[in-house]
Amino acid sequence: MNYETVIGMEVHVELHTQSKMFCRCPAHHFQIGANEHVCPVCTAQPGALPVINGRAIELTVMTGMALGCQIRPHSVFARKNYVYPDLPKGYQVSQYELPLCEHGQVVIHTSDGSRKQIAIERVHLEEDTGKLVHQGNASLVDYNRAGVPLMEIVTDASIRSADEAFAYVQKIRQLVRYLGASTGDMEKGAMRCEANISVRPEGSQAFGTKVEVKNLNSFRAVRNAIDYEVQRQIEVIEEGGTVRQVTMGWDEGAATTKEQRSKEFADDYRYFPEPDLLDVDVTDEWIDGARSQLPELPDERAARFVESFRLSADDAAMMTEDRAVADWFEQVIAAGAEPATAANWISGELFRRLKDTEAAIEDVALTPAQLAELIGLITAGTISGSAAKEVFAVMWDEGGGPTQIVEARGLQQVSDTGELESQVDAVIAAQADAADKVRNGDDKPLQFLMGMVMRATRGKANPQVVQQLLRDKLQG
Amino acid sequence: MPSELTAHAALDLLVAGDLTSVDLTRSILARIDASEAQINAYISLDPERALSVAADVDRRRQSGEVLGPLAGIPLAIKDVLCVRGGRTTCGSAILSDYVAPYDATAVARVLQADAVLLGKTNMDEFAMGSSTENSHFGPTRNPVDPTRVPGGSSGGSAAAVAAGEATLALGSDTGGSVRQPASYCGVVGLKPTYGRVSRYGLIAYASSLDQVGPLTRDVEDAALLLGVVAGHDARDATSVDCPVPDYRAKLNDGVEGLKVGLAREFFAEGLDPEIRSAIEAAAEQMRLAGAELVDVSLPVAGHPEYCVACYYVIAMAEASANLSRYDGVKFGHRTADADGLQQMYHRSRSEGFGAEVKRRIMLGTYVLSAGYYDAYYRKAQQARTLIRQDFDRAFTQCDLLLSPVSPTTAFRLGEQVDDPLTMYLNDIYTVSVNLAGIPGISVPVTTAADGLPIGAQLLARPFEEEVLLRGARVLEQSS
């Protein structure tokens, strides 16, 4: 029997704000000494009260807008009650009945090149928990992360494969990065995913029993865990069993899903409106203000690159994958470079260098104007393509402008017929056989003769000029 | 005796140089020495700190420095408010060794006003109670009659002020916890409008109802202390940014031209006849002072069966979450030995909380549970809206409402401890005020035949404490 996979995703995204969700402690917590970014509020000292970080609301609403959601003019924070040592108050301030954003959709691009729309049920805002550190027999708690703003994005059950889930998570990461809402860095826990997975016989309308899989903390994990869990559920059914409703965790090392707890007794979080906070009422003007901060989003931008710069769809996708790259690319164009050439240089030489050095484009010393200048030198025939690669390498490694490097290293292409004529004559004299063949109308050795001239000029000769000279002399 | 003085009278003497803060503080401390063994108003006392602050204020006054509005006045703080570096217990074993790392905003403001902090007063554990018998640190007794309770939960503050063990005190009022003990002890107790005084650093019982309020010897002192603690605080999202008037400026403007409403529902059966006639006499005094008496109706807010039920559902629901943080992990009591996390939670909380607190946590957890939320919590929120609307409507017909504070005078210790439902009915005239968020004041108007004080309650529109205090001043002068 063939089975259809049904997946709904919950993605938690840590917002990139200066301070925490409800206090003024710094929100960053990576590689900070334990309990250094804490205060009475985020450690739940008796009597301490939360105050909403307005920027977190703004970033969540902007994300909702980018996901085509309706922004609720009236939303409410609620207490989600459960007990664990990493949760200082014994409840998490979250949103339940009235989230900030609802009913959106996002288009994903799967690896086979197709596009699909995924419905977003809601985007809401909550606070992160602290972290437990286990040391021998003891467990220690670090509250640096407690109270960091956490945005949760929930889809409906319209995802049908691990590939689609992967593409969806990529899309979410791309969007939150574009918006400056989050670093989207899964390795540092800035983005954490859970998948609700079920399978059903192809053609069936009823949903199968869903299993919640947590700990999908890398792109690889998203794909592998879903593939594994789908296969596991199919095997259970094929062997005549039934899938139980449980919460599983993905064990990256063992590459299996492991049962964390049974869901036979539904969790009862006893949500109720958070009395320490006022309801969040946003006006039309405020919403307009948030909307005006939205950057051009990646899909729109790619469409514009195709339209205005005549890039191929692939090149446009590559140039818009990352907002900083797209900005950089547009600066190269603005400095006068030909768009397709610029895209080639960026996706080729530049990306290779970025990958080798694990650098971000914002951090490189090379400027868009310098790359445009380099491309200009090629277009003008001042340097050859191979010399340009050498110039690029020098620019990357040592810095400096391309024109200056070309001059300093004498890499200018020689196009002057007077200067090249003697070299051409010398090659014709030395390679008499090949020259004769060309004289008799055989063009094949022409490339060989050109190569010899290029070697003699150490690559600086303009190939077109050399070819013209050879033809003039042998066939003219 | 300086310990008998009101704060404003003491301030006049201090400013005139006829009294020093050290002498005033000594007089209070002497009274504490004499009475505390019997009254037990305080959980912790810091006489050395009090005397050193008093001496400092005297020195600064002598050198001509401009001092704060409470300069040199000995003040007690209910142990529900955090004071940095000191023990803040909330009357509970679970916080018996807790040292707060910060000052509550109300505390910071009285310290800024140069008050002399005496210590922390006794209270029902986590402000849950109406008698100050639910304290880990033993019950407080009523200074008027030590066989009686002082009321609660701010019983320590009320008793301290009544006994001359403090000139001023701060309490907190969630369902009557300032007004009822004020009435039982014969002092003035004011619950400000919700949002008038910052709750930052006030250990939460029921967040949507809690409010810090003064307990004082007279109405003018209540005006004085409210003026110091009131005002917006960026650390409390529910505090309201609305100007704080000088509450003493119009204190003696009287009630001429004001309409004073009497809700017929407040005089239904169950009310002690002595209290009924005391309130009727108070109404007559208001009329003689120039107010117009009007009959109003509070069809929902006037009915204890609605208000008390609504109050306890909401208060216990909020409390069940507010008290989750006492888990033995971060601060407070942790059981001596436990095998694993669940047992640590279970034992720490079982050992740390008293019976009434446990009862309310369980009830609150229940009313929020899946399948019961709509029947209890949501219904209570709807009832709360109706209660608010009742008061809104009444205040279109009058400027002040006059009512009893409590259906009885101070009862005997132990009389109601085994009967929580009767205990809860002490709050029938006060809880609706917290549910509506409006301000209320309890003023002593007379004494019963057995000598116990009887208080009258005045209520006003939100943020009209000024009118409330004017009305209270008239009641006080005619009592």
Side-chain angles (χ1 to χ4, degrees):
Chain A
M1 194 188 294
N2 286 327
Y3 290 88
E4 183 182 38
T5 304
V6 177
I7 301 169
M9 295 293 291
E10 291 170 23
V11 180
H12 284 92
V13 181
E14 262 184 12
L15 293 179
H16 192 52
T17 51
Q18 289 286 311
S19 56
K20 291 187 181 181
M21 186 63 225
F22 297 116
C23 61
R24 308 266 165 83
C25 289
H28 66 277
H29 54 83
F30 191 69
Q31 291 178 335
I32 302 293
N35 295 309
E36 281 183 14
H37 290 173
V38 299
C39 73
V41 176
C42 58
T43 56
Q45 296 297 313
L49 295 172
V51 176
I52 293 174
N53 179 339
R55 181 63 181 158
I57 302 269
E58 204 167 53
L59 290 174
T60 304
V61 164
M62 284 165 65
T63 306
M65 287 170 172
L67 292 169
C69 289
Q70 294 166 19
I71 309 305
R72 293 196 60 89
H74 175 84
S75 65
V76 171
F77 281 97
R79 292 184 182 179
K80 178 182 183 178
N81 293 286
Y82 70 94
V83 181
Y84 202 64
D86 65 6
L87 187 69
K89 293 188 288 291
Y91 56 84
Q92 180 187 35
V93 179
S94 179
Q95 296 195 286
Y96 184 55
E97 282 184 342
L98 302 169
L100 282 165
C101 322
E102 290 175 310
H103 313 307
Q105 65 285 315
V106 65
V107 174
I108 60 166
H109 309 243
T110 50
S111 63
D112 64 3
S114 62
R115 290 176 176 228
K116 178 172 175 178
Q117 183 166 302
I118 305 295
I120 304 292
E121 275 185 359
R122 58 190 278 152
V123 182
H124 75 242
L125 189 52
E126 58 190 31
E127 55 180 336
D128 211 342
T129 61
K131 277 181 180 169
L132 286 191
V133 183
H134 301 285
Q135 272 185 7
N137 230 0
S139 294
L140 306 172
V141 206
D142 177 2
Y143 291 114
N144 285 340
R145 199 182 67 175
V148 169
L150 198 60
M151 174 172 69
E152 182 171 344
I153 305 171
V154 183
T155 70
D156 72 353
S158 59
I159 297 171
R160 287 288 171 274
S161 65
D163 193 44
E164 288 182 11
F166 185 88
Y168 168 76
V169 175
Q170 270 190 321
K171 190 75 208 171
I172 294 299
R173 186 177 67 158
Q174 183 190 39
L175 281 175
V176 297
R177 285 186 170 178
Y178 253 74
L179 297 169
S182 174
T183 62
D185 199 334
M186 290 185 87
E187 285 66 40
K188 290 178 186 166
M191 235 174 88
R192 312 195 279 273
C193 307
E194 294 165 26
N196 288 299
I197 305 168
S198 64
V199 298
R200 62 183 172 191
E202 222 166 63
S204 162
Q205 288 303 303
F207 288 118
T209 305
K210 75 175 180 191
V211 168
E212 186 181 357
V213 181
K214 294 176 178 282
N215 295 346
L216 308 184
N217 299 335
S218 70
F219 279 105
R220 225 165 61 98
V222 169
R223 196 189 287 277
N224 293 349
I226 293 174
D227 278 340
Y228 177 88
E229 179 58 22
V230 165
Q231 205 48 48
R232 187 192 70 83
Q233 291 185 18
I234 291 173
E235 277 167 26
V236 168
I237 295 168
E238 292 278 303
E239 285 163 14
T242 44
V243 174
R244 289 186 312 120
Q245 190 173 345
V246 289
T247 298
M248 306 275 250
W250 173 244
D251 185 334
E252 183 85 48
T256 56
T257 52
K258 282 187 180 161
E259 187 169 326
Q260 290 184 331
R261 62 198 152 100
S262 160
K263 282 236 169 173
E264 281 157 37
F265 301 97
D267 291 316
D268 186 359
Y269 291 119
R270 305 190 307 280
Y271 284 100
F272 71 102
E274 164 59 291
D276 285 332
L277 296 171
L278 303 181
D279 296 353
V280 180
D281 291 301
V282 295
T283 61
D284 290 346
E285 294 77 54
W286 188 89
I287 290 178
D288 289 344
R291 202 178 294 281
S292 71
Q293 290 184 53
L294 280 184
E296 187 182 19
L297 297 173
D299 287 0
E300 300 163 17
R301 201 167 191 183
R304 178 167 62 82
F305 283 8
V306 170
E307 176 73 24
S308 312
F309 301 144
R310 302 283 155 208
L311 290 192
S312 69
D314 281 353
D315 278 353
M318 236 179 318
M319 288 305 102
T320 53
E321 169 58 32
D322 182 277
R323 184 178 170 187
V325 169
D327 289 345
W328 213 90
F329 168 74
E330 290 213 66
Q331 287 174 46
V332 179
I333 307 304
E338 196 280 312
T341 315
N344 278 336
W345 275 90
I346 291 170
S347 60
E349 289 300 302
L350 184 60
F351 279 6
R352 189 171 59 76
R353 291 291 188 150
L354 289 175
K355 200 178 163 198
D356 288 350
T357 53
E358 292 181 357
I361 200 161
E362 298 94 316
D363 306 327
V364 303
L366 182 74
T367 67
Q370 287 171 336
L371 181 62
E373 191 181 330
L374 179 65
I375 292 169
L377 291 175
I378 306 164
T379 315
T382 310
I383 54 173
S384 65
S386 58
K389 286 191 178 171
E390 191 183 333
V391 175
F392 184 91
V394 176
M395 285 161 73
W396 182 277
D397 293 333
E398 296 163 28
T403 307
Q404 176 198 340
I405 294 166
V406 166
E407 276 167 14
R409 307 209 162 206
L411 292 170
Q412 297 95 330
Q413 185 160 257
V414 181
S415 304
D416 182 52
T417 47
E419 241 179 272
L420 289 174
E421 217 169 343
S422 59
Q423 308 274 11
V424 170
D425 287 343
V427 168
I428 289 172
Q431 308 292 342
D433 285 359
D436 278 344
K437 285 184 184 165
V438 177
R439 276 197 193 91
N440 295 328
D442 182 358
D443 265 4
K444 272 188 209 148
L446 193 60
Q447 287 303 318
F448 167 72
L449 294 175
M450 279 182 65
M452 297 308 290
V453 178
M454 295 306 285
R455 183 190 287 175
T457 60
R458 287 185 297 126
K460 290 193 295 182
N462 181 331
Q464 278 159 349
V465 176
V466 173
Q467 188 178 27
Q468 198 54 52
L469 275 173
L470 283 167
R471 282 191 192 283
D472 288 350
K473 287 184 185 292
L474 300 172
Q475 296 174 334
Chain B
M1 285 285 285
S3 62
E4 305 285 331
L5 292 169
T6 60
H8 61 87
L11 279 166
D12 288 345
L13 296 173
L14 287 166
V15 170
D18 296 333
L19 177 68
T20 65
S21 178
V22 168
D23 285 344
L24 174 59
T25 304
R26 280 210 179 104
S27 166
I28 297 272
L29 290 172
R31 187 63 78 87
I32 289 173
D33 274 347
S35 319
E36 250 322 74
Q38 184 179 45
I39 303 299
N40 193 32
Y42 285 92
I43 290 174
S44 53
L45 274 163
D46 194 346
E48 280 168 28
R49 171 178 166 166
L51 284 170
S52 116
V53 171
D56 187 52
V57 169
D58 287 337
R59 197 160 43 241
R60 287 162 58 208
R61 197 188 297 281
Q62 280 224 308
S63 70
E65 232 178 271
V66 178
L67 299 171
L70 301 179
I73 300 299
L75 175 140
I77 290 178
K78 185 179 181 182
D79 210 12
V80 71
L81 285 159
C82 289
V83 177
R84 184 173 53 213
R87 201 166 60 126
T88 297
T89 70
C90 224
S92 181
I94 210 159
L95 287 179
S96 56
D97 295 319
Y98 177 68
V99 175
Y102 71 106
D103 279 332
T105 299
V107 170
R109 288 184 178 172
V110 295
L111 293 177
Q112 188 65 36
D114 294 316
V116 173
L117 188 57
L118 294 162
K120 308 292 289 292
T121 56
N122 200 8
M123 57 185 284
D124 287 300
E125 184 179 4
F126 285 99
M128 296 176 182
S130 307
S131 66
T132 316
E133 291 169 293
N134 302 329
S135 170
H136 175 64
F137 302 92
T140 295
R141 289 172 183 268
N142 192 322
V144 182
D145 174 355
T147 67
R148 309 269 170 170
V149 302
S153 63
S154 309
S157 285
V161 171
E165 294 188 32
T167 308
L168 298 172
L170 284 176
S172 68
D173 189 315
T174 306
S177 280
V178 161
R179 290 160 289 158
Q180 183 252 23
S183 144
Y184 280 14
C185 293
V187 299
V188 173
L190 169 63
K191 184 207 89 77
T193 310
Y194 186 77
R196 177 75 292 184
V197 181
S198 170
R199 292 184 299 114
Y200 189 75
L202 169 67
I203 298 182
Y205 159 22
S207 313
S208 73
L209 301 161
D210 295 342
Q211 193 62 199
V212 175
L215 290 119
T216 58
R217 297 231 170 87
D218 72 357
V219 174
E220 184 167 354
D221 276 3
L224 171 68
L225 184 49
L226 177 65
V228 169
V229 293
H232 181 244
D233 177 13
R235 290 178 187 275
D236 174 4
T238 63
S239 88
V240 176
D241 195 358
C242 133
V244 179
D246 176 358
Y247 291 113
R248 289 162 84 192
K250 293 182 177 167
L251 196 59
N252 293 313
D253 281 11
V255 291
E256 200 164 338
L258 292 185
K259 290 179 178 170
V260 175
L262 295 162
R264 62 186 74 97
E265 294 84 357
F266 281 160
F267 298 89
E269 58 200 294
L271 177 61
D272 179 315
E274 273 190 303
I275 294 178
R276 172 196 296 270
S277 53
I279 304 306
E280 282 166 356
E284 181 58 15
Q285 292 300 328
M286 295 292 262
R287 195 185 65 77
L288 289 173
E292 184 191 338
L293 300 182
V294 292
D295 278 327
V296 298
S297 175
L298 297 169
V300 185
H303 281 285
E305 62 268 40
Y306 301 144
C307 293
V308 174
C310 173
Y311 168 79
Y312 277 98
V313 169
I314 289 171
M316 292 183 192
E318 292 180 5
S320 72
N322 282 332
L323 272 61
S324 290
R325 67 188 60 192
Y326 308 105
D327 56 6
V329 173
K330 304 162 293 283
F331 45 71
H333 173 73
R334 182 189 293 177
T335 190
D337 73 311
D339 186 11
L341 181 64
Q342 289 307 318
Q343 204 176 67
M344 186 191 88
Y345 283 149
H346 186 251
R347 288 194 181 166
S348 299
R349 287 168 70 83
S350 294
E351 292 161 10
F353 288 137
E356 182 61 28
V357 171
K358 286 175 188 164
R359 176 158 38 239
R360 296 194 192 194
I361 290 173
M362 284 187 278
L363 285 168
T365 303
Y366 175 77
V367 300
L368 290 173
S369 299
Y372 298 97
Y373 182 89
D374 287 338
Y376 292 104
Y377 187 80
R378 201 183 298 277
K379 204 57 126 197
Q381 289 291 14
Q382 289 163 352
R384 184 174 189 175
T385 302
L386 295 177
I387 289 164
R388 258 196 211 120
Q389 289 170 350
D390 254 15
F391 280 111
D392 285 348
R393 208 177 305 112
F395 283 122
T396 62
Q397 297 165 266
C398 61
D399 304 293
L400 290 169
L401 278 165
L402 175 65
S403 83
V405 181
S406 172
T408 65
T409 51
F411 49 90
R412 288 194 162 75
L413 260 80
E415 196 177 315
Q416 295 183 4
V417 275
D418 295 327
D419 186 0
L421 274 183
T422 306
M423 188 75 97
Y424 295 174
L425 290 176
N426 278 291
D427 303 334
I428 58 173
Y429 300 109
T430 48
V431 290
S432 56
V433 178
N434 299 74
L435 289 167
I438 59 174
I441 192 167
S442 168
V443 192
V445 285
T446 185
T447 47
D450 57 8
L452 292 172
I454 296 175
Q457 176 174 244
L458 280 174
L459 310 174
R461 299 183 190 98
F463 298 99
E464 291 198 354
E465 280 84 357
E466 220 173 352
V467 183
L468 192 70
L469 287 159
R470 272 165 61 191
R473 184 88 179 102
V474 168
L475 286 182
E476 173 181 68
Q477 283 174 326
S478 50
S479 66

